[in-house]
Amino acid sequence: MTDYNPAELTVVIGSRSLQDGQIVFVGAGLPLLAAVHAQHLHAPTLSILFEVGGVAPQVRIGSLPRSTNEARSVRRSVATPATIDMMLFLQRGLVDVGFLGGAQVDKHGNLNSSVIGTLEKPSVRLPGSGGANDIASSANKVFIISYHERRRFVEKVDFLTSPGFLDGGRSRENEGLLGGGVEKVITNLGILEFDKETREMKLVAVHPGVSVKEVQEKTGFELLIADDLQVTTPPSAEELTLLRALDPERRFLKAGEF
Amino acid sequence: MNYREARQQVVDKNKGARDKRTTLTEAVAMIRDGDEIAVGGLLYTRTPMGIIWEIIRQRKKDLTFYKTLLSFEGDWLFVSGAMRKAVTSWFSGGVTWGVSKWSLLGLSLRFRAGAMGIPCIPTKSMLGSDLETSAGLKRFQCPYSGEELLLVPAVNPDVAIIHAHAADMYGNAQIFGPPCMDGEIARAANKVILTTEQLVDNEHIRDNPNTTTIPFFCVDAVIELPFGCYPHECYGVYEPAYAHLGDYGEGLLKAEDKTAFVRDYLENYFYKPADFEDYLSLFGVKSLLETTRKGRIWRL
């Protein structure tokens, strides 16, 4: 089974990035699917947190939640705290990984899910932060999933909803933020990380058949390229079968752009 | 509302354990134009839809709504003219108006500070982001540790509107599954209007006190209202009317004039029905039964 669409590829790579035993705070969209996939396939003790208020829920195949905020995303949780207490697990340092999608991401890993244009003159209004800012501010590290294209990978976000490394260098630490910031950006073209000093985005892996040139062309700023650039292993039949069983209606796994 | 004034309002009110059962009409009549309202639930889970429905029918005006995450009801309140302003961290409706200016923790902390009876509370969230400026937050250096923090102001709304799984006639309210921010907004607000799936005896509450999220002395009105979140979900009782919401969302997406589309929906689902039962009958017995069957905890 070598045929898969960009969303399927990205979710599988996202799923692999999570490890058994981790506590992961999961945002809406593809991260939800990736975390549930990981829990069913290779990380049975992965503890998922959804902002609605479920600790370590076990989502059933055939009953995929449509958002992180409904009864299905609380199924068989070990506890159901108030929203605020879910979010405060982050501030306390109890969350290993924050897992987010993003409408716009910049070269320092900052995310915009609020507005394209300016607050005063928006060209597109987006839903807002929800818990994304809190996850990006305080999770011990953050993974981002995004579709890779120039208008999403920008030099500087129009509105900084959720902090990555702010202006780069030590600026995140200087603001007094707690969490470790963005460790990984997973896209349909490859995997990106950040330079340890400048905190600029660096391409560390491409998916099979993707060239560095293509990634650069679809990025709105100059990328750093890792010396030991890797090529990812394509999704296996087992990974794809489970993924398609989880989302038979293809609510998340739409063809083309996600 | 002024911090001291908010405290005085609950100091002065009759908090005794009396029979608070009333009708939706009478309860919503307590809300005055211009009031600040905190809404229970989260996105489309345990939304106090019956109360929102009645607010729109009574043609209330200039209200400010606080809700952690807004779903389609944001459009309904806005287009009907009931809502002047929304304070939220997320809005996923279709008619565009305003930008969400808070993080979920930031707004939740405002409710908790209100519930704690303090005027503000510090947090590490939103530091260095554009939410810090859009929400107009003040910086604060911890006098003990020297840590940089943001202070978010408490909110003490005039009225909190909440739907609970079970409540007695005094207003002791029990919520199963995630309580969302309902415990906090009930304590932060000066008045609480509560609908419940089922009215239970006080003895039932006393048998299970650990599931009581809201004690009676916070509550001012109790209305038994089965399916009171419809077409949204009530955890473990019924799932969202996914088909209805899906059709609505698709219609809204396609509509050239989105405001007219919402007005049309309001006319059919909010203004025309004679009462709440009449409203529920618009969804039909099939929808009510199907969402109930699928929404049971062991079926999720």
Side-chain angles (χ1 to χ4, degrees):
Chain A
M1 204 179 331
T2 53
D3 207 22
Y4 43 82
N5 72 30
E8 289 173 332
L9 171 62
T10 311
V11 172
V12 166
I13 304 295
S15 166
R16 288 181 197 161
S17 70
L18 298 170
Q19 288 165 16
D20 202 25
Q22 280 177 329
I23 315 296
V24 56
F25 207 118
V26 180
L30 295 191
L32 182 157
L33 192 52
V36 171
H37 185 267
Q39 195 187 49
H40 279 275
L41 190 68
H42 64 86
T45 68
L46 180 73
S47 298
I48 296 173
L49 306 177
F50 290 131
E51 61 193 14
V52 65
V55 174
Q58 297 173 334
V59 169
R60 184 166 63 80
I61 296 178
S63 189
L64 189 71
R66 298 183 187 199
S67 77
T68 55
N69 299 293
E70 58 181 84
R72 286 181 182 186
S73 43
V74 184
R75 182 182 174 270
R76 295 190 56 72
S77 290
V78 296
T80 56
T83 315
I84 187 168
D85 296 315
M86 294 299 297
M87 306 316 292
L88 288 171
F89 290 144
L90 290 153
Q91 199 168 269
R92 182 65 183 95
L94 292 163
V95 179
D96 298 316
V97 181
F99 203 0
L100 296 170
Q104 205 183 45
V105 57
D106 70 19
K107 70 171 175 185
H108 295 303
N110 303 304
L111 289 171
N112 174 17
S113 57
S114 299
V115 63
I116 305 292
T118 63
L119 265 191
E120 297 70 32
K121 280 200 169 166
S123 61
V124 183
R125 289 174 170 96
L126 302 167
S129 161
N133 173 282
D134 311 309
I135 295 170
S137 294
S138 302
N140 300 348
K141 61 184 170 194
V142 173
F143 299 160
I144 295 170
I145 278 187
S146 180
Y147 187 75
H148 210 131
E149 59 178 344
R150 276 188 93 86
R151 72 184 170 92
R152 294 211 208 181
F153 281 72
V154 296
E155 176 82 23
K156 197 168 167 47
V157 285
D158 291 357
F159 185 94
L160 200 161
T161 312
S162 305
F165 294 107
L166 301 178
D167 298 323
R170 300 281 301 166
S171 59
R172 181 182 167 101
E173 289 79 359
N174 293 344
E175 287 293 319
L177 282 162
L178 294 171
V182 184
E183 185 174 288
K184 225 180 257 198
V185 182
I186 298 158
T187 82
N188 50 304
L189 299 181
I191 302 173
L192 305 110
E193 293 181 359
F194 292 84
D195 180 82
K196 297 279 177 282
E197 297 300 319
T198 65
R199 265 79 182 269
E200 284 175 274
M201 206 184 279
K202 180 194 277 184
L203 183 65
V204 298
V206 288
H207 299 320
V210 176
S211 68
V212 172
K213 186 166 171 279
E214 183 186 357
V215 182
Q216 182 58 72
E217 275 170 9
K218 290 183 175 163
T219 305
F221 53 89
E222 200 161 333
L223 279 172
L224 304 174
I225 313 292
D227 297 334
D228 56 341
L229 186 74
Q230 307 287 306
V231 179
T232 61
T233 309
S236 70
E238 188 191 15
E239 285 172 320
L240 287 171
T241 304
L242 171 64
L243 186 57
R244 288 166 188 169
L246 279 169
D247 185 17
E249 295 175 346
R250 298 203 157 254
R251 203 163 278 288
F252 296 96
L253 299 172
K254 293 183 179 80
E257 188 179 337
F258 52 80
Chain B
M1 175 162 308
N2 174 289
Y3 164 67
R4 294 269 174 163
E5 193 188 320
R7 186 171 198 281
Q8 201 57 45
Q9 289 223 6
V10 294
V11 168
D12 292 341
K13 87 172 180 182
N14 176 0
K15 297 174 284 293
R18 60 187 195 282
D19 185 355
K20 294 166 187 167
R21 286 172 297 175
T22 182
T23 62
L24 207 47
T25 317
E26 293 275 321
V28 169
M30 290 180 359
I31 296 173
R32 299 157 308 171
D33 289 345
D35 271 356
E36 299 203 324
I37 315 282
V39 184
L42 190 82
L43 199 60
Y44 49 80
T45 199
R46 223 164 29 67
T47 311
M49 195 64 82
I51 306 174
I52 289 174
W53 180 80
E54 183 62 24
I55 286 173
I56 290 174
R57 283 162 64 89
Q58 290 193 16
R59 300 192 188 266
K60 300 285 180 192
K61 288 196 301 285
D62 298 327
L63 304 172
T64 296
F65 282 87
Y66 291 82
K67 189 169 185 258
T68 45
L69 307 168
L70 270 172
S71 183
F72 293 134
E73 76 284 358
D75 277 347
W76 302 339
L77 287 163
F78 179 72
V79 173
S80 70
M83 179 165 81
R84 184 177 59 81
K85 188 182 168 195
V87 184
T88 187
S89 77
W90 172 274
F91 173 58
S92 55
V95 179
T96 45
W97 42 271
V99 174
S100 311
K101 293 185 178 136
W102 289 88
S103 79
L104 182 55
L105 178 58
L107 185 51
S108 300
L109 283 165
R110 298 189 65 188
F111 295 141
R112 180 160 281 177
M116 289 169 75
I118 53 173
C120 66
I121 195 164
T123 182
K124 279 286 194 181
S125 261
M126 298 181 289
L127 275 166
S129 74
D130 285 340
L131 296 175
E132 180 178 343
T133 31
S134 75
L137 299 177
K138 300 258 195 287
R139 290 247 176 170
F140 163 79
Q141 202 172 31
C142 171
Y144 299 105
S145 64
E147 283 282 347
E148 193 77 1
L149 294 154
L150 286 175
L151 284 178
V152 302
V155 56
N156 289 108
D158 296 291
V159 184
I161 59 175
I162 291 167
H163 184 81
H165 289 78
D168 67 8
M169 67 177 184
Y170 307 113
N172 291 302
Q174 299 188 328
I175 291 169
F176 306 119
C180 303
M181 290 304 290
D182 293 26
E184 277 79 4
I185 64 171
R187 282 171 280 147
N190 297 328
K191 288 181 199 141
V192 175
I193 300 174
L194 182 85
T195 54
T196 178
E197 283 297 311
Q198 53 174 329
L199 200 63
V200 296
D201 284 349
N202 179 254
E203 287 308 305
H204 174 86
I205 301 281
R206 290 181 189 275
D207 285 343
N208 309 279
N210 57 329
T211 54
T212 305
T213 304
I214 303 165
F216 68 94
F217 47 73
C218 294
V219 176
D220 299 86
V222 179
I223 306 108
E224 189 177 36
L225 196 70
F227 292 102
C229 306
Y230 224 73
H232 288 184
E233 71 172 13
C234 184
Y235 174 85
V237 186
Y238 42 93
E239 68 170 19
Y242 285 119
H244 176 86
L245 294 170
D247 290 348
Y248 174 89
E250 227 168 87
L252 188 61
L253 202 66
K254 282 188 199 145
E256 240 168 75
D257 185 343
K258 296 192 193 305
T259 308
F261 180 88
V262 173
R263 280 212 186 95
D264 203 41
Y265 186 84
L266 287 172
E267 190 55 39
N268 291 328
Y269 283 85
F270 284 71
Y271 300 123
K272 269 191 191 159
D275 52 29
F276 198 71
E277 280 181 25
D278 205 22
Y279 164 76
L280 290 177
S281 71
L282 291 174
F283 300 95
V285 174
K286 273 188 182 163
S287 173
L288 296 178
L289 284 179
E290 193 196 329
T291 51
T292 303
R293 279 194 204 104
K294 290 187 176 167
R296 309 239 198 246
I297 289 168
W298 55 90
R299 293 284 302 273
L300 290 174

